[in-house]
Amino acid sequence: MPTYAVTGATGPFGHHAVEELLRRGTAPGDVVALVRNPARAADLAERGVVVREFDYDRPETLAPALAGVDALLLVSGSAIGQRERQHGAVIDAAVAAGVGRIAYTSVLRADSTDLPVAPEHVATERLLAASGIPTALLRNGWYTENYAGLLGQAEATGSIASATRGASVSPATRADLAAAAAAALLDETSAGRTYELGGPSFTLDELAAASSRVLGREVVHHEVTPEQLSEGLVAAGLDEGTAGFLVAVDVATAGGALQVDTADLQELLGRPATGLDKALRAARP
Ligand SMILES: NC(=O)c1ccc[n+]([C@@H]2O[C@H](COP(=O)([O-])OP(=O)(O)OC[C@H]3O[C@@H](n4cnc5c(N)ncnc54)[C@H](OP(=O)(O)O)[C@@H]3O)[C@@H](O)[C@H]2O)c1
């Protein structure tokens, strides 16, 4: 049987992906959880999953951990600014180890988007293409959980603010995107394909309405300018860099960067994506 490996398997996305490989009937011994700290993967090891140390910043750990791996899910790392180098090291190791296929978690329309996270994903997509390893590009939209993070503020104040100018967004739950990634990893025919992955579309007004239903109190959405949004975020205690990042995301969102209407997610999942109300209820703090 083929051997499947998942990076970042102690993170929420990677862990969900490993769970989905098992749920879909993959034998635990055919699944390799690649992790920075094996002690944090004890739950997976107890279930028979093979756990191997894999640190993007320690290249000597990479190729040995990929020995015998047929298909690799490279879950993009979290160290913004370091990821081209880190992902490049993983891709080099995959070539050296003879990995047959890769699936990579990129970002929606990576090559044409204004989203501030795109450059490292584009660079990684180029490295993957140059590697010669057949690759499925899983271009993920935003996690619904990013919006569910507004519920606390909505509950406390009855309002949410954005500079999205009425644009729709099409996020999906992290669990759905991870399940889709596992499905692509199991499917040889995913290699060479680019998936643009998102769930049901809604505007921030519609998010406020859904928040009202979930919280049982009225929530309204206020449209603000990017400058007002920045001032509000800094006043709420965010540092300038984080505030600037979030404002850039809203500006890109206003231009349609987080909206997608493909059926790619549903196709990989084999079922409709999780709806907004259900996702908000599950993520409610
Ligand atoms: N679409 C979105 O809305 C969205 C939002 C956030 C993030 N993302 C992207 O999706 C990825 C997965 O999401 P997530 O929720 O699981 O994020 P996360 O909690 O930040 O997980 C990141 C994973 O990367 C691993 N990692 C970081 N540095 C590493 C290194 N040097 N060597 C090996 N592994 C390393 C972490 O390992 P440890 O478990 O040891 O910490 C963790 O498992 C993120 O890394 C980010 O690229 C997307």
Side-chain angles (χ1 to χ4, degrees):
M1 291 300 289
T3 298
Y4 303 96
V6 177
T7 75
T10 45
F13 189 102
H15 200 277
H16 277 303
V18 169
E19 296 273 1
E20 182 70 8
L21 290 172
L22 301 177
R23 197 190 70 76
R24 288 181 178 245
T26 315
D30 294 331
V31 178
V32 181
L34 299 167
V35 300
R36 265 198 290 200
N37 180 355
R40 291 188 46 230
D43 63 315
L44 296 174
E46 275 164 22
R47 293 160 68 187
V49 170
V50 180
V51 175
R52 293 182 186 159
E53 186 181 4
F54 195 80
D55 186 337
Y56 307 150
D57 291 328
R58 294 174 54 229
E60 70 277 13
T61 65
L62 302 178
L66 294 174
V69 168
D70 297 294
L72 169 68
L73 173 58
L74 172 52
V75 177
S76 51
S78 47
I80 304 237
Q82 304 300 315
R83 297 190 292 182
E84 180 177 353
R85 173 184 56 76
Q86 292 179 329
H87 296 166
V90 175
I91 294 162
D92 287 347
V95 171
V99 169
R101 285 190 291 122
I102 294 180
Y104 170 66
T105 62
S106 185
V107 73
L108 214 52
R109 294 183 288 266
D111 45 1
S112 61
T113 183
D114 292 330
L115 285 168
V117 295
E120 289 178 300
H121 288 297
V122 173
T124 303
E125 289 189 3
R126 289 197 180 123
L127 293 172
L128 286 164
S131 76
I133 299 178
T135 298
L137 295 178
L138 304 164
R139 289 179 166 176
N140 290 339
W142 246 219
Y143 298 156
T144 313
E145 285 82 355
N146 299 348
Y147 298 99
L150 298 171
L151 279 177
Q153 177 195 340
E155 187 158 35
T157 66
S159 72
I160 56 175
S162 85
T164 56
R165 300 180 60 179
S168 289
V169 295
S170 317
T173 64
R174 185 190 271 108
D176 276 358
L177 290 168
L185 195 67
L186 290 170
D187 178 4
E188 278 184 31
T189 68
S190 69
R193 284 192 60 181
T194 297
Y195 298 88
E196 304 284 355
L197 297 164
S201 297
F202 54 85
T203 64
L204 275 281
D205 281 353
E206 289 167 330
L207 174 68
S211 303
S212 300
R213 292 191 292 275
V214 169
L215 296 171
R217 70 156 292 175
E218 189 185 18
V219 179
V220 290
H221 167 234
H222 295 295
E223 186 64 44
V224 295
T225 66
E227 294 72 23
Q228 288 168 328
L229 183 66
S230 177
E231 284 163 17
L233 292 171
V234 171
L238 270 66
D239 63 76
E240 297 273 353
T242 307
F245 174 83
L246 293 173
V247 171
V249 169
D250 265 25
V251 170
T253 301
L258 290 177
Q259 200 274 333
V260 67
D261 54 14
T262 68
D264 290 359
L265 181 59
Q266 181 160 332
E267 181 198 325
L268 282 172
L269 289 173
R271 59 166 171 81
T274 304
L276 177 58
D277 284 37
K278 186 174 178 191
L280 289 179
R281 284 204 170 86
R284 190 181 169 177

